[in-house]
Amino acid sequence: MKILYEGKAKILFDDGVPGTLIQHFKDSATAFNAEKKEEFEGKGFLNRAISEHLFTVLAAAGIPTHFVETIDGNRDRVRRVDIIPLEVVVRNRAAGSFVKRFGAPKNLPFVPPLFELYLKDDALGDPQISPEASFALSLATEEEIAQLKVFALTVNEVLTALFAKVGLLLADYKLEFGRTAPGEILLADEISPDTMRLWDPETMESFDKDLFREDKGDLLAGYREVLRRLEATL
Ligand code: TMP
Ligand code: ASP
C-alpha cells in the first residue's frame, strides 16, 4: 500500500479503492509543534474509536463527514478529500493558547462560542488567520468559510450536548475539512481527545491531551474513560 501522507498522529494510505483512503491512527503523541513527543501504546485505537463514535453522531445530525467504515483497531476507511489548509477552532471556554496569548482567565465562558481559523503550516507554527486573509491567499472562498462556520457551530451544539450527557465539559476543539473531487465539503481528519479539551465540570480535571502537554496525569486512562462514557450512551 502506498503511503500518501504521514503526519504526527496519523498515516494516510492509498490501497486503490476508488475515492477512498485508509487512515491509520498512530500511538505517538506530540505537543508544542512536536518539541515534546512520546509513544502511548493503545492511543491510536482509543482515538480511532472515539473519533468513529463522534463522526457517526455528527453524520446522524446532518454533518457530511469523510468517515466510511472501520477496518480494524487502528484503521478506518475515509473518503478521499483535499484538506483545506485551515484549522478550525471553536472555543466554549478560555484555555490553552487563548489564555497564553490574551491573558484571559482559564475557563472564561464564551457565549456565543468563538470561531477561529489557523493556517495549517507547522513550519510557520500554525498562526491564526482572518477569514479575509484566507480568501486573499485563496485558501478557501468566502462561501466555503461561511459553510465551515455553519458546520463548526452545528458540531458544537451536537458535541456540547453529547459530552454534557456523559458529565464532560467540551472547552474547545479543532476541526479540519476537505473537498471531494466534485467540490463537496466534508468534515475530515479526526475528533478525539488529541484535538479537544474535555474537563470534569466540577474538578476541572482533564480527559484530553493536556494530560500529556502539561504532565497532569495518565493520558491513556483519560482517553479510556472518554470512550467508556461515550459507549455507555449507545
Ligand atoms: P490551542 O489552545 O492550542 O489554540 O488549541 C485549541 C484546541 O485545538 C485544543 O482543543 C487543541 C486543538 N488543537 C489541535 O488539535 N491541533 C493543533 O495543532 C492545535 C494548535 C490545537
Ligand atoms: N499542535 C499539536 C498540539 O499541541 C501537536 C503538536 O504541536 O505537535 O495539540
Side-chain angles (χ1 to χ4, degrees):
M1 272 195 302
K2 198 169 117 206
I3 291 187
L4 214 69
Y5 168 84
E6 177 157 6
K8 289 177 285 196
K10 287 186 301 297
I11 309 174
L12 289 174
F13 295 96
D14 183 357
D15 69 337
V17 177
T20 74
L21 295 174
I22 292 177
Q23 177 173 248
H24 175 105
F25 289 73
K26 301 202 279 193
D27 284 341
S28 330
T30 69
F32 315 117
N33 213 1
E35 272 172 42
K36 184 169 175 175
K37 188 167 192 298
E38 201 174 315
E39 294 297 303
F40 291 92
E41 201 186 328
K43 179 176 89 78
F45 164 78
L46 291 165
N47 278 355
R48 206 272 313 138
I50 292 166
S51 200
E52 176 192 343
H53 188 105
L54 300 179
F55 274 90
T56 304
V57 169
L58 290 168
I63 303 280
T65 87
H66 74 159
F67 177 76
V68 178
E69 63 185 3
T70 301
I71 295 175
D72 58 23
N74 283 51
R75 300 186 302 163
D76 53 24
R77 184 171 299 285
V78 296
R79 286 178 66 194
R80 188 179 190 132
V81 292
D82 282 324
I83 291 288
I84 297 171
L86 292 170
E87 302 202 336
V88 175
V89 169
V90 176
R91 300 182 192 273
N92 294 304
R93 300 295 175 107
S97 78
F98 195 94
V99 167
K100 212 188 266 166
R101 288 179 292 147
F102 303 118
K106 184 176 172 189
N107 199 23
L108 179 73
F110 299 120
V111 182
L114 302 184
F115 168 83
E116 300 176 341
L117 300 173
Y118 294 81
L119 177 64
K120 198 172 146 56
D121 188 326
D122 283 342
L124 296 177
D126 295 346
Q128 194 169 3
I129 188 166
S130 63
E132 292 75 15
S134 309
F135 316 147
L137 294 175
S138 302
L139 304 175
T141 65
E142 196 164 353
E143 294 70 33
E144 284 177 329
I145 301 275
Q147 179 73 81
L148 298 190
K149 186 166 182 181
V150 170
F151 284 156
L153 296 178
T154 307
V155 167
N156 199 47
E157 282 173 25
V158 174
L159 294 192
T160 301
L162 174 67
F163 283 115
K165 241 178 23 190
V166 300
L168 292 170
L169 172 67
L170 178 60
D172 61 24
Y173 56 90
K174 183 266 300 180
L175 305 175
E176 294 186 28
F177 293 87
R179 299 180 191 96
T180 60
E184 190 193 356
I185 292 186
L186 302 181
L187 178 62
D189 194 58
E190 69 178 295
I191 311 180
S192 73
D194 271 10
T195 62
M196 300 183 271
R197 285 193 175 91
L198 291 167
W199 298 337
D200 179 294
E202 263 86 54
T203 65
M204 301 291 293
E205 183 191 346
S206 292
F207 291 78
D208 57 64
K209 203 164 80 174
D210 276 349
L211 289 163
F212 166 67
R213 288 193 193 93
E214 300 176 8
D215 296 310
K216 289 204 287 203
D218 184 342
L219 174 140
L220 289 172
Y223 287 30
R224 255 186 239 117
E225 180 61 13
V226 172
L227 180 59
R228 190 190 69 76
R229 291 192 196 188
L230 288 175
E231 283 180 342
T233 65
L234 291 175

